Amino acid sequence: GSPRAACPQRAQYGPCSLRKMSVMEALELLDQLVDESDPDVDFPNSFHAFQTAEGIRRAHPDKDWFHLVGLLHDLGKVLVLFGEPQ
């Protein structure tokens, strides 16, 4: 079989059946968790997403797709709230 078919996370989360939410809702959910890779940060995780997107926008104003990637890059971390390890 293909490596994709063997991925239990793909089977569990691929259908997006646990919860449907907007990007803004997902960014707000990020604020509920403490990121193990950066536990001493005193500002919300969503702030990091906006800060990253804005930094990319300043450096690459002509690449709107890249601004979006900066905003979304940590959204997978919300899976911690559904029982996945960090």
Side-chain angles (χ1 to χ4, degrees):
S2 76
R4 290 181 144 204
C7 180
Q9 286 82 11
R10 179 177 292 281
Q12 183 176 1
Y13 301 117
C16 298
S17 59
L18 285 176
R19 180 170 175 182
K20 294 203 186 256
M21 65 187 87
S22 69
V23 169
M24 289 305 295
E25 289 169 322
L27 285 167
E28 289 171 6
L29 273 180
L30 282 177
D31 294 341
Q32 294 181 19
L33 62 98
V34 175
D35 188 343
E36 289 177 356
S37 67
D38 219 357
D40 298 327
V41 172
D42 289 335
F43 53 85
N45 289 313
S46 61
F47 182 80
H48 170 68
F50 289 112
Q51 190 178 43
T52 301
E54 178 59 17
I56 292 169
R57 186 194 64 80
R58 271 192 242 117
H60 304 281
D62 58 325
K63 296 183 175 139
D64 58 351
W65 63 270
F66 198 12
H67 313 161
L68 181 61
V69 170
L71 183 67
L72 305 179
H73 79 280
D74 274 344
L75 282 188
K77 292 180 180 183
V78 300
L79 293 177
V80 169
L81 303 173
F82 295 98
E84 288 295 318
Q86 287 197 34

